[in-house]
Amino acid sequence: MTLQNLTENAISLLKNLIETQSFSTEEENTATLIEGWFIKNEIPFKRTKNNIWATNKYFDDSKPTLLLNSHHDTVHPNSAYTNDPLKAIVEDGKLYGLGSNDAGGCLVSLIATFTNFYAQENLKYNLVIVASAEEENSGPNGLNSMLKIIPHIDVAIVGEPTLMNLAVAEKGLVVFDAVVEGTPSHAAHPNNNNAIYNTIEVLQWFKDFKFEKPSVALGDVKMTVTQISAGSQHNVVPAHVDLVVDVRVNDAYSNKEIAAILQEKSPCTTITPRSLRLNSSSISTNHDLVKAGIAMGRETYGSPTLSDQSVLTCQSLKLGPGDSTRSHSANEFIYLAEIEEGIEIYVELLKRVIV
């Protein structure tokens, strides 16, 4: 099949994916559509829950393995949509629809790329593709659940909208639940240990605190208090104030190190991470994938947004058609030309590295 035919078929698949509801944990029907691609192209595949995966025809255990991954689940459409989010609309070169940009365009481009190389012999790398579920909600049955099922991965390309530039690093995420305590009392009585007042200094500490180690690709760790909850009625001073703290972690720290620093230094009574598994990720700028991309004129940068890279322990590159600023927006769209270019760049990049 020619690259032009693959591209046309990939766009057709994306239109069908858009018109099939696939909210996180509800991806059964889009998984079936993706199965249809592999059946039509006579590529053996496996399905694990709503994850569809396959390996290249001449997989060789003695060779390193490159993972191609993107997801087919979506968020719920926001209330500002004026288009039908589950209708694929083409207008002025744009393909509108929920999941078109995040990350349907990336997914179908990677599927087409995998199909292009599937039957080639003597590749330097094995290929594994995973069309994964539950990325948007960081659920338990997404790519993270596949890592013990698929072959060992040495390096990965994760398809997310990057304008086909090379995201050589990505910030991790740790969400903390923090508590500031005080003395509960009736509001009419004196109280020098009001938990709400105690929170003033705590909030100032979070605002001013700086983690010492910056990253060349990702800059500083970014910490933000995003939620506050306290009190039950007007005449009762609460016993505690609950805070939620969002920490975007650069590649100079592990999530465990961030947790240890905050538990040692923060003025909260307690501060507890919800999870430590969404780590920062990166790939060496000396890796062949990055060097090939730079030679093709692609720019490198560090990404502040989270993706399935966070569950990988190998080096990984985030790369895909579309623009992340459109993700989760009303009337989401991707340019058809971006998909065409995306497939061309993916194929050329892999030619330079694995052929």
Side-chain angles (χ1 to χ4, degrees), residues 66 175 267:
L66 169 62
V175 178

Side-chain angles (χ1 to χ4, degrees), residues 40-51:
K40 181 179 179 181
N41 288 280
E42 299 181 342
I43 297 174
F45 67 91
K46 294 182 180 179
R47 177 170 179 163
T48 305
K49 295 189 176 178
N50 292 328
N51 302 281

Side-chain angles (χ1 to χ4, degrees), residues 109-146:
S109 297
L110 284 172
I111 289 174
T113 301
F114 174 84
T115 303
N116 181 74
F117 289 100
Y118 166 72
Q120 289 196 32
E121 297 185 62
N122 302 315
L123 297 178
K124 296 175 183 176
Y125 280 77
N126 299 311
L127 292 177
V128 176
I129 188 161
V130 178
S132 54
E134 297 191 15
E135 189 270 350
E136 294 290 5
N137 69 341
S138 299
N141 298 312
L143 180 62
N144 54 309
S145 70
M146 299 300 297

Side-chain angles (χ1 to χ4, degrees), residues 254-325:
S254 70
N255 288 355
K256 288 183 179 180
E257 288 174 320
I258 292 293
I261 290 168
L262 291 183
Q263 288 172 338
E264 176 188 353
K265 296 186 175 182
S266 82
C268 300
T269 308
T270 62
I271 183 164
T272 307
R274 294 181 180 177
S275 169
L276 296 174
R277 68 183 180 88
L278 302 177
N279 289 286
S280 61
S281 53
S282 63
I283 187 170
S284 169
T285 53
N286 290 319
H287 194 283
D288 288 344
L289 283 171
V290 178
K291 290 194 291 185
I294 292 172
M296 292 167 60
R298 313 318 299 177
E299 296 180 358
T300 63
Y301 73 104
S303 173
T305 57
L306 198 69
S307 75
D308 267 337
Q309 276 186 288
S310 63
V311 304
L312 298 172
T313 56
C314 63
Q315 293 192 83
S316 57
L317 174 67
K318 185 158 68 176
L319 174 67
D323 186 337
S324 66
T325 61

Side-chain angles (χ1 to χ4, degrees), residues 20 34 61 123 129 142 165 169 175 183 224 285 288 319 324 328 346:
T20 305
I34 295 164
D61 288 330
L123 297 178
I129 188 161
N165 287 315
V175 178
T183 302
T224 310
T285 53
D288 288 344
L319 174 67
S324 66
H328 305 181
Y346 278 143

Side-chain angles (χ1 to χ4, degrees), residues 9-203:
N9 290 345
I11 291 171
S12 177
L13 173 60
L14 178 53
K15 291 176 181 177
N16 289 333
L17 291 172
I18 289 169
E19 296 193 342
T20 305
Q21 179 183 305
S22 56
F23 304 143
S24 290
T25 73
E26 301 175 17
E27 311 97 341
E28 296 88 352
N29 293 327
T30 48
T32 300
L33 286 174
I34 295 164
E35 285 182 326
W37 172 286
F38 290 105
I39 292 168
K40 181 179 179 181
N41 288 280
E42 299 181 342
I43 297 174
F45 67 91
K46 294 182 180 179
R47 177 170 179 163
T48 305
K49 295 189 176 178
N50 292 328
N51 302 281
I52 308 300
W53 65 280
T55 59
N56 62 303
K57 185 173 183 178
Y58 298 102
F59 190 97
D60 181 345
D61 288 330
S62 69
K63 296 179 180 180
T65 298
L66 169 62
L67 169 67
L68 305 178
N69 164 252
S70 192
H71 63 95
H72 58 101
D73 64 315
T74 72
V75 296
H76 288 259
N78 70 53
S79 60
Y81 262 87
T82 57
N83 296 337
D84 181 348
L86 296 180
K87 185 170 179 60
I89 300 169
V90 177
E91 190 175 282
D92 298 327
K94 300 175 182 178
L95 174 57
Y96 289 90
L98 183 65
S100 56
N101 181 79
D102 183 14
C106 301
L107 175 65
V108 300
S109 297
L110 284 172
I111 289 174
T113 301
F114 174 84
T115 303
N116 181 74
F117 289 100
Y118 166 72
Q120 289 196 32
E121 297 185 62
N122 302 315
L123 297 178
K124 296 175 183 176
Y125 280 77
N126 299 311
L127 292 177
V128 176
I129 188 161
V130 178
S132 54
E134 297 191 15
E135 189 270 350
E136 294 290 5
N137 69 341
S138 299
N141 298 312
L143 180 62
N144 54 309
S145 70
M146 299 300 297
L147 299 179
K148 293 182 179 179
I149 296 172
I150 63 176
H152 172 78
I153 302 302
D154 296 281
V155 67
I157 295 175
V158 176
E160 290 284 341
T162 70
L163 293 171
M164 291 309 292
N165 287 315
L166 312 169
V168 295
E170 174 188 276
K171 282 189 172 179
L173 170 65
V174 188
V175 178
F176 290 88
D177 292 301
V179 177
V180 181
E181 291 187 344
T183 302
S185 70
H186 194 292
H189 298 154
N191 186 340
N192 293 323
N193 191 30
N194 185 315
I196 293 176
Y197 294 161
N198 293 345
T199 304
I200 295 171
E201 291 184 2
V202 174
L203 293 175

